[in-house]
Amino acid sequence: IMFSCLLGSDDSWGCIPCCSGDGCDDRVTCDFDHVSYQFGCKPGQINELALVFLGSREKAIDTMLNNSAMFTTNGLVVMSLVFYFGMLVTFGIGLPQGIFMPSIMIGVSWGLLFSKAWDSLHLGSGTEVSKYDFGLMGACAILGGIQHSSISLVVILLEGTGQARYLLAIMLTTITAKSVSALFSEGVYEVAMELKHMPYLEGNQGGRWMEGLDASDLCGHQAGNLAMLYEAVKVEELLGFLEGNSHNGFPVLGKTKDGMKLKGIVLRSQLCSLLEHKRFKTSIDSPARHSFSETEFESLQVPSKYTADATFTHIDLNFSELQGAFDVADDEMKLWIDVAEVMNFSPYTVMLDCPVKRVVTLFAKLGLRHLIVLSDTGTACGIITRHDILTLKEKHH
């Protein structure tokens, strides 16, 4: 698209005259580093589109703000449209195309276009508003409207311009753009998370849909089907457990004088680490919390080359495929694994009658991934994830 615009540029638009030497005054100079900036133009001319499309974004933005006279109305319209529709197409794909710099390019282009309309209508008579001000405020408005950020964006723009006198103008423009765009849609990152079905919970979750609901409404579908592990299991039992369960976190039960009680929670990635590092034992009399050094513990906590994939993309492996992936020999199947080596001994828990509003607050404020639900007798009867909350919200909203 960019090269099509460049090939279509000629003397009528795209190519603008430039001058060299000390007698240029306020006219456009030809003192640019790259020969490509003269793309398709005659000597003594510069291609405004080539400067933006073929050069670096930083150089293009700096030139647009500080040397705005070289950009024509047609050129600014083409630039803004190309970057706008290009950003729409490329956003969300697996290529690092970016959204911050294209947003600035669009904002500066629209700001300069507004300044040209301002001058043509003679609205700026007697004022000292420069085209730099219009371009910068356009960039602030587009970034604030697209990203829905305020404080961080103001700091970035203020540091980027290095001029504290624009602080109030940047703040007002960013907050206004964010407030107006919030009336029509969410920020671009929130939209992206919804499109990718990411279970994101906002910090200010609320609403009448939570009234009268408790934890049992979130985990009621798990009644009698909760996948749980014991503190010590055999290798073949753990492989069969991973084959039959695709969840990411599992309550761990331990034997007490009152029977089997909740002892902690373990992640799927931690179980895969135990298998990959072959933390096998011939017997386990009592599961230990500190059965290896701190260095060994850290190596088990950090996902290794296989664990990172196994947690998400290898959950559909059958028993024999899991055995081969972890290189478990047949004579190792009867050995024991101490799950207590890596499990969390103090997981967050709530009772079955805990209000949903409090559950949502725990997830949003503490960044939880799993929350175990206990019955009146203290036994684990469910486990809540962000997916469960969002599913219930969609059902009752």
Side-chain angles (χ1 to χ4, degrees), residues 5 19 43 68 94 144 155 188 208 218 220-221 223 274 276 283-284 304 324 326 331 334:
C5 295
C19 65
S68 58
V155 173
V188 66
R208 300 185 60 183
L218 291 167
H221 61 283
L274 290 174
E276 187 176 1
S283 62
I284 297 181
S304 57
F326 293 113
D331 57 349
K334 299 300 181 181

Side-chain angles (χ1 to χ4, degrees), residues 229-239 252-255 263-267 269-293 296-297 300-301 332-345:
L229 277 171
Y230 295 112
E231 287 181 296
V233 294
K234 291 184 177 181
V235 174
E236 61 179 352
E237 294 174 348
L238 181 56
L239 290 175
V252 180
L253 302 180
K255 186 179 295 185
K263 288 292 186 178
I265 187 172
V266 66
L267 301 179
S269 59
Q270 294 172 324
L271 296 175
C272 292
S273 291
L274 290 174
L275 288 169
E276 187 176 1
H277 289 81
K278 292 187 178 294
R279 298 291 299 183
F280 306 152
K281 300 180 181 180
T282 55
S283 62
I284 297 181
D285 296 329
S286 59
R289 296 184 181 216
H290 308 288
S291 57
F292 47 86
S293 65
E296 291 177 314
F297 182 78
L300 287 170
Q301 297 302 305
E332 295 175 328
M333 288 293 189
K334 299 300 181 181
L335 298 179
W336 291 86
I337 289 183
D338 188 1
V339 178
E341 285 186 339
V342 293
M343 77 176 184
N344 179 5
F345 279 85

Side-chain angles (χ1 to χ4, degrees), residues 48-331:
E48 57 179 331
L49 298 181
L51 176 64
V52 175
F53 293 157
L54 302 181
S56 66
R57 298 291 177 263
E58 296 82 358
K59 178 67 174 179
I61 293 172
D62 180 69
T63 304
M64 292 174 71
L65 288 174
N66 296 294
N67 199 3
S68 58
M70 69 171 293
F71 294 96
T72 63
T73 301
N74 292 336
L76 292 172
V77 171
V78 172
M79 294 174 202
S80 61
L81 292 179
V82 168
F83 278 102
Y84 179 75
F85 288 104
M87 187 171 63
L88 292 180
V89 173
T90 59
F91 180 71
I93 63 177
L95 296 176
Q97 299 295 325
I99 190 174
F100 193 84
M101 296 301 284
S103 298
I104 295 180
M105 296 292 298
I106 297 171
V108 172
S109 299
W110 288 358
L112 295 180
L113 284 172
F114 187 83
S115 72
K116 290 181 179 294
W118 183 277
D119 292 339
S120 64
L121 296 175
H122 305 287
L123 298 176
S125 302
T127 63
E128 297 182 359
V129 181
S130 66
K131 289 182 171 56
Y132 181 95
D133 301 331
F134 281 103
L136 180 60
M137 293 307 109
C140 296
I142 294 298
L143 285 172
I146 291 178
Q147 300 188 16
H148 282 208
S149 57
S150 52
I151 298 178
S152 60
L153 185 57
V154 170
V155 173
I156 292 172
L157 292 172
L158 188 63
E159 291 291 332
T161 59
Q163 301 194 34
R165 65 190 182 94
Y166 287 106
L167 175 59
L168 182 60
I170 292 175
M171 290 177 58
L172 292 176
T173 304
T174 304
I175 294 174
T176 302
K178 176 186 175 182
S179 302
V180 173
S181 63
L183 300 175
F184 301 94
S185 66
E186 297 178 317
V188 66
Y189 299 116
E190 285 78 6
V191 173
M193 285 187 288
E194 290 182 2
L195 293 176
K196 292 180 177 294
H197 304 288
M198 293 182 178
Y200 172 74
L201 291 177
E202 297 181 3
N204 57 347
Q205 282 282 341
R208 300 185 60 183
W209 69 273
M210 301 184 192
E211 296 179 1
L213 301 177
D214 54 33
S216 62
D217 296 293
L218 291 167
C219 63
H221 61 283
Q222 303 171 3
N225 298 316
L226 182 61
M228 294 181 287
L229 277 171
Y230 295 112
E231 287 181 296
V233 294
K234 291 184 177 181
V235 174
E236 61 179 352
E237 294 174 348
L238 181 56
L239 290 175
F241 182 85
L242 293 176
E243 177 191 15
N245 297 281
S246 59
H247 308 297
N248 187 54
F250 308 99
V252 180
L253 302 180
K255 186 179 295 185
T256 65
K257 62 180 181 180
D258 297 325
M260 302 301 292
K261 295 291 185 179
L262 177 69
K263 288 292 186 178
I265 187 172
V266 66
L267 301 179
R268 186 183 188 90
S269 59
Q270 294 172 324
L271 296 175
C272 292
S273 291
L274 290 174
L275 288 169
E276 187 176 1
H277 289 81
K278 292 187 178 294
R279 298 291 299 183
F280 306 152
K281 300 180 181 180
T282 55
S283 62
I284 297 181
D285 296 329
S286 59
R289 296 184 181 216
H290 308 288
S291 57
F292 47 86
S293 65
E294 182 178 353
T295 303
E296 291 177 314
F297 182 78
E298 291 178 354
S299 67
L300 287 170
Q301 297 302 305
V302 178
S304 57
K305 58 181 177 61
Y306 175 77
T307 306
D309 294 333
T311 307
F312 301 102
T313 61
H314 292 77
I315 59 176
D316 56 346
L317 298 181
N318 57 36
F319 187 91
S320 59
E321 290 172 336
L322 285 170
Q323 181 181 358
F326 293 113
D327 194 22
V328 179
D330 292 336
D331 57 349

